[in-house]
Amino acid sequence: MDEMVLIADDDRDIVRFVEVNLRLEGYEVITAHDGQDALVKALEVQPNLILLDVMMPLMDGFEVCTKLRDDGRSAHIPVIMLTAKSLSADKVLGLTAGADDYIIKPFDPMELIARVKTTLRRASEMRSLSPLTGLPGNNRIEHEISHRMELGMPVAVAYADLDNFKSYNDRYGFLRGDEVISLFAQVLRRAALESAGPEGFVGHIGGDDFVALVPPEAAERFATRLIADFDARIPSLYDPEDAVVGAIEIADRQGQMRRFPIVSVSLGIASSARRSFTDHRELVATATELKSVAKRDPRSSYALDRRTDAF
């Protein structure tokens, strides 16, 4: 375990007590004994977690936490407040300052370790999610595909993206473009759930690129539901006059007016059911290749790999 915890408390006995327990669990530990030192070390070292006492000299824990949240270098670092007071007002102040959790002194070492592990796990999960869609990102997608293949589970990888999305952004702006991405994420989740149940998985690579994992036998059902649902809902995100004609007109770089159809979906689907892949990256590469095939159709479409291994 290479996670680092900063302990900030002016009571040196408490610092030693917490440090010993955390090191026994495999955490690296750095310490500070006043608020100013805690802030400096947090910004310099960038720990994975900060245990922050409320009552400290030079700067109290509430002020330190507020400054951490206001600085882009440390805004993401989870903070657990340590307080000798059980008054609800102190808890509220800590949470208002941006703390993720609080522990009341004296605390049991088992409780401390449990809170540390829970807060670190939650922070890790949040870092792996797309802030726009709430979907897992690249690391989790890669892990999910490789994990299923290691277990010998047949899996279909659907690589999806949006066509004519740039023209939509150019016409309406990125804020409305984010609405399209959010809609696409909702439709993907619903299609995966309805076609594959708990075995369905959807991740957000970034921008308008997404990956879905479903059992191979559910792949075409997933694709047809996704396309039908998205095509039915996307016109509602256009201005009425554009939705009626099914297109938008914008000027290109040469100032010439060009006509772009309504945003559509392209899906490339590769499956490990009938072909052997030695690496999950080969499966993803095949899905990517098939997505390019689907893009040849100006409408929403999918391309499914129907090849089998030759024996």
Side-chain angles (χ1 to χ4, degrees):
M1 183 182 297
D2 56 1
E3 290 172 306
M4 179 179 291
V5 178
L6 167 61
I7 308 168
D9 196 313
D10 61 326
D11 188 323
R12 294 177 182 271
D13 290 334
I14 289 180
V15 170
R16 280 193 293 271
F17 169 74
V18 174
E19 181 179 5
V20 168
N21 281 279
L22 289 177
R23 289 192 184 279
L24 286 173
E25 292 292 323
Y27 294 100
E28 293 184 38
V29 177
I30 55 174
T31 63
H33 301 290
D34 63 67
Q36 186 64 50
D37 188 34
L39 182 61
V40 169
K41 286 180 176 175
L43 295 175
E44 287 181 351
V45 181
Q46 297 284 298
N48 300 98
L49 174 72
I50 301 172
L51 295 173
L52 190 60
D53 185 36
V54 169
M55 301 302 294
M56 289 188 294
L58 301 183
M59 190 184 302
D60 67 29
F62 300 133
E63 187 177 356
V64 173
C65 191
T66 300
K67 290 183 180 295
L68 289 169
R69 290 294 175 256
D70 288 341
D71 193 309
R73 294 170 294 175
S74 56
H76 65 286
I77 302 175
V79 174
I80 298 178
M81 301 290 285
L82 307 177
T83 175
K85 300 178 180 179
S86 60
L87 296 175
S88 59
D90 290 307
K91 301 174 188 176
V92 171
L93 280 173
L95 296 174
T96 301
D100 297 87
D101 199 357
Y102 56 86
I103 300 178
I104 298 171
K105 301 176 184 177
F107 43 79
D108 181 81
M110 295 297 290
E111 179 191 6
L112 172 70
I113 297 302
R115 295 286 188 93
V116 166
K117 288 182 176 179
T118 298
T119 303
L120 283 168
R121 183 175 66 249
R122 189 186 305 125
S124 176
E125 290 171 352
M126 289 302 294
R127 282 195 300 272
S128 69
L129 298 180
S130 160
L132 176 58
T133 63
L135 293 174
N138 291 343
N139 290 341
R140 175 72 189 285
I141 294 169
E142 183 177 1
H143 170 78
E144 192 68 27
I145 299 172
S146 60
H147 180 64
R148 294 188 186 200
M149 292 180 69
E150 288 167 5
L151 292 177
M153 296 172 58
V155 59
V157 175
Y159 189 170
D161 78 359
L162 299 173
D163 303 315
N164 304 309
F165 179 63
K166 182 180 183 304
S167 62
Y168 183 97
N169 266 343
D170 291 343
R171 170 72 172 83
Y172 295 118
F174 71 91
L175 290 177
R176 287 181 65 175
D178 284 351
E179 293 179 11
V180 175
I181 297 297
S182 295
L183 170 65
F184 193 33
Q186 293 170 19
V187 171
L188 277 162
R189 275 187 286 218
R190 179 180 297 176
L193 179 62
E194 291 179 351
S195 62
E199 293 185 62
F201 171 90
V202 177
H204 187 185
I205 297 173
D208 62 332
D209 291 279
F210 292 79
V211 166
L213 309 182
V214 296
E217 64 274 13
E220 291 197 82
R221 185 166 65 249
F222 162 77
T224 53
R225 288 190 181 189
L226 168 64
I227 288 171
D229 195 5
F230 183 79
D231 285 352
R233 296 179 63 183
I234 186 60
S236 68
L237 297 186
Y238 281 75
D239 289 349
E241 59 271 22
D242 293 332
V244 167
V245 299
I248 56 176
E249 287 192 353
I250 58 173
D252 61 19
R253 292 179 179 177
Q254 287 71 43
Q256 301 295 317
M257 295 303 295
R258 291 189 57 194
R259 190 180 180 91
F260 293 90
I262 280 181
V263 173
S264 57
V265 182
S266 289
L267 276 170
I269 306 173
S271 167
S272 65
R274 297 189 295 177
R275 294 183 62 190
S276 297
F277 293 90
T278 58
D279 191 285
H280 67 279
R281 286 167 290 195
E282 294 178 9
L283 190 58
V284 173
T286 303
T288 305
E289 172 191 341
L290 289 160
K291 186 189 67 169
S292 299
V293 174
K295 281 185 173 293
R296 298 171 189 167
D297 191 331
R299 303 163 301 177
S300 289
S301 63
Y302 67 91
L304 175 66
D305 188 11
R306 302 183 188 277
R307 294 170 290 185
T308 60
D309 286 333
F311 294 100

